[in-house]
Amino acid sequence: MFFTENYNSPGSTYWACKAFLPLALSPDHPFWSSREEPYPTTSIPQTIYLNHPSHILTHAGGHTFLLSSGQACHYPLRHGAEKYGKLAYSSAFGYSVPTGAIGLDMWNPDSTMALSEDGGERWVVRRQVEANDPSRESGGFLEGVEGNVVSETDGGGGWLRAVWRPWKGTSVETWLVPPQPDSPLWHVRIHRIKRDVVRYGGEIVLVSDAGFAIYSQDSDGRTLSLIPGSDVGALTTRYGKVEGFEPDSDETTSSGGGGGGGAFSIVRSAMGVSGVADLTPLFFPTSSNLATPSKSVTNSSNYSSLST
């Protein structure tokens, strides 16, 4: 992990040290002597739409995080895609950076979409999106609302949209929808992939859409174990991982779709809970051009997913 960038200077440490200015106040200063007030949680808006950066801030369900339409600098930054290009950034869960260049495990693409056309060895993630303004270098669209909007309730009607290109002839359009009143712990991601040019050897594209990164050790320090039987209820009493497929819904069965529901994966550790679910069968129950998701949700084609 690189903590410094080319634009850092001696002034950067000066700004960081400003956090220690209160230590210069006398012991009887009101800063130290005033009675501590409770944190004003009730006055924090549930959802804030920021027009200029095309961001959505949300505090729904008690989890504060940011949905981003994508930002980038005009020159390359170390791990710029991880620092600025992910779909979501959480105040509770950190983000990952690649530890190598072979396979999905080394690329660590949490809270973002990654694509591979060589069978899963190399992956491409979002770094720069098509600008919504000719005067800007990068930045998606805030739609459904106008200007900066503060919503006192979950949701609020707005969403983000952005387009980026992993390769020549391939585009990915993504919509990000903040938590809604009936699902305050989930946000929705919808992806549409278009391919005008298919390169030789890249006829099949693998797609990964992952949730927030989470501490992966159990209470005994060992790696979290996979709970058999896709028993999500078991996570209420223990740490671990659960993955599987949602059963067919009545709508899917009656339409003749069959084939089972979408894949899901939920992880619980001492740091909280993070999960992702594939909604592709819900929207495309009879589609013949979508491959059946593999057993691991991180390797399935997530045209629409939930992440908490």
Side-chain angles (χ1 to χ4, degrees), residues 2 7 16 39 56 68 71 83 96 110 143 159 162 168 178 187 197 214 218 221 247 260 262-263 271:
F2 295 98
Y7 56 75
Y39 193 74
I56 298 178
S68 173
Q71 292 185 332
K83 295 177 179 178
S96 303
D110 66 276
E143 300 178 335
W159 61 88
K168 182 179 179 180
H187 70 273
V197 177
I214 190 171
D218 208 330
M271 297 304 296

Side-chain angles (χ1 to χ4, degrees), residues 115-122 167 170 195 197-206:
L115 295 90
S116 172
E117 62 173 2
D118 66 357
E121 179 174 329
R122 292 169 293 182
W167 311 287
T170 300
R195 307 194 75 197
V197 177
V198 178
R199 300 187 295 186
Y200 178 76
E203 294 82 3
I204 297 178
V205 174
L206 300 179

Side-chain angles (χ1 to χ4, degrees), residues 35-60:
R35 187 179 67 176
E36 181 180 359
E37 298 289 341
Y39 193 74
T41 54
T42 56
S43 64
I44 298 177
Q46 290 295 307
T47 306
I48 302 176
Y49 299 89
L50 302 175
N51 182 50
H52 184 70
S54 297
H55 286 168
I56 298 178
L57 284 168
T58 178
H59 186 64

Side-chain angles (χ1 to χ4, degrees), residues 125-146:
V125 297
R126 187 178 76 172
R127 187 188 71 85
Q128 189 167 9
V129 304
E130 295 182 358
N132 59 17
D133 186 322
S135 64
R136 300 174 62 182
E137 298 160 1
S138 178
F141 299 83
L142 173 62
E143 300 178 335
V145 296
E146 294 184 2

Side-chain angles (χ1 to χ4, degrees), residues 108-256:
N108 293 324
D110 66 276
S111 298
T112 192
M113 169 177 264
L115 295 90
S116 172
E117 62 173 2
D118 66 357
E121 179 174 329
R122 292 169 293 182
W123 294 79
V124 179
V125 297
R126 187 178 76 172
R127 187 188 71 85
Q128 189 167 9
V129 304
E130 295 182 358
N132 59 17
D133 186 322
S135 64
R136 300 174 62 182
E137 298 160 1
S138 178
F141 299 83
L142 173 62
E143 300 178 335
V145 296
E146 294 184 2
N148 295 331
V149 178
V150 175
S151 175
E152 298 298 334
T153 60
D154 299 343
W159 61 88
L160 299 177
R161 181 175 65 86
V163 179
W164 65 286
R165 302 182 183 277
W167 311 287
K168 182 179 179 180
T170 300
S171 67
V172 179
E173 188 171 13
T174 295
W175 291 263
L176 300 177
V177 183
Q180 302 298 308
D182 57 348
S183 55
L185 296 178
W186 298 84
H187 70 273
V188 179
R189 307 174 185 174
I190 304 171
H191 308 288
R192 180 166 60 189
I193 303 174
K194 294 182 179 180
R195 307 194 75 197
D196 300 324
V197 177
V198 178
R199 300 187 295 186
Y200 178 76
E203 294 82 3
I204 297 178
V205 174
L206 300 179
V207 181
S208 167
D209 189 3
F212 292 112
I214 190 171
Y215 179 67
S216 62
Q217 271 63 53
D218 208 330
S219 55
D220 59 2
R222 296 176 178 271
T223 301
L224 291 171
S225 60
L226 181 65
I227 299 176
S230 303
D231 184 9
V232 177
L235 293 178
T236 60
T237 58
R238 58 172 293 189
Y239 298 149
K241 301 179 293 183
V242 175
E243 62 180 30
F245 291 88
E246 290 285 354
D248 279 331
S249 64
D250 294 338
E251 291 79 5
T252 301
T253 303
S254 61
S255 66

